Amino acid sequence: MDLIARLTEEHQDYVIKLSTLAETVEGIRINGRGDYFVETLDGLLVPLTTELDDHARREEDFLFPRILERAPDSPIPVMLEDHAAIREASQGFASGYLLWRDGDDDAFDRWATFAETLRGTFSAHMQKENLILFPLARRVLSAAEIARLVVEESR
């Protein structure tokens, strides 16, 4: 599987995780704090922070520079702005959630808002990549260049 296909597959996995996050936030709003919700959120914390940031870095380090070389007027600047907004929402969710988990009930609204922002921003961004950027990459990069992205990423 080449890097673009892997990134696309990861996008779908994040959509599922972000849907679970939204359902969990709604569950807390309706039912209040509960062990099930905390366990679910604990399980989402690393994927929606560290792993999501790693995903963005792979795009930024391996794919975006190659696209810019071939298509300088590509939407890469917009993608980088989206990445910054996604990172901000992810970090806000994580820091607020940890405060809430440790007993600060007042932190709920703040981290829930960051979680909603994360879901919305990521969903819109993923559509831009899947429908615009990745097809552009497949047009401007050769199959050999795309295959080399996997080798470079593994280093």
Side-chain angles (χ1 to χ4, degrees), residues 52-92:
L52 185 58
D53 187 58
D54 289 345
H55 171 92
R57 286 198 192 287
R58 289 194 343 265
E59 292 175 344
E60 294 163 0
D61 292 347
F62 301 105
L63 184 60
F64 290 4
R66 298 332 175 275
I67 294 172
L68 277 173
E69 289 171 1
R70 298 291 176 80
D73 59 344
S74 70
I76 297 295
V78 173
M79 300 301 154
L80 292 171
E81 289 174 12
D82 287 354
H83 282 190
I86 290 166
R87 284 182 173 111
E88 180 180 339
S90 174
Q91 292 165 0

Side-chain angles (χ1 to χ4, degrees), residues 8-51:
T8 302
E9 189 175 274
E10 289 174 12
H11 285 170
Q12 297 310 310
D13 186 50
Y14 285 119
V15 167
I16 293 166
K17 286 177 172 58
L18 288 163
S19 292
T20 300
L21 177 62
E23 292 166 6
T24 304
V25 168
E26 188 60 22
I28 293 167
R29 282 194 173 115
I30 293 169
N31 301 299
R33 181 191 306 262
D35 290 344
Y36 168 78
F37 298 126
V38 171
E39 289 170 12
T40 300
L41 290 165
D42 283 349
L44 292 171
L45 195 58
V46 170
L48 295 180
T49 56
T50 305
E51 292 174 10

Side-chain angles (χ1 to χ4, degrees), residues 82-149:
D82 287 354
H83 282 190
I86 290 166
R87 284 182 173 111
E88 180 180 339
S90 174
Q91 292 165 0
F93 154 65
S95 63
Y97 166 67
L98 292 173
L99 289 171
W100 178 82
R101 185 186 71 184
D102 293 339
D104 181 356
D105 289 336
D106 293 335
F108 175 76
D109 286 334
R110 194 183 78 160
W111 75 256
T113 298
F114 277 116
E116 291 164 358
T117 299
L118 176 61
R119 183 179 188 207
T121 304
F122 179 83
S123 295
H125 172 74
M126 176 202 65
Q127 293 299 322
K128 291 178 214 172
E129 286 186 341
N130 289 355
L131 299 175
I132 298 167
L133 191 69
F134 293 168
L136 172 65
R138 291 201 183 278
R139 281 194 309 274
V140 301
L141 301 174
S142 69
E145 288 170 311
I146 292 170
R148 278 196 304 273
L149 292 174

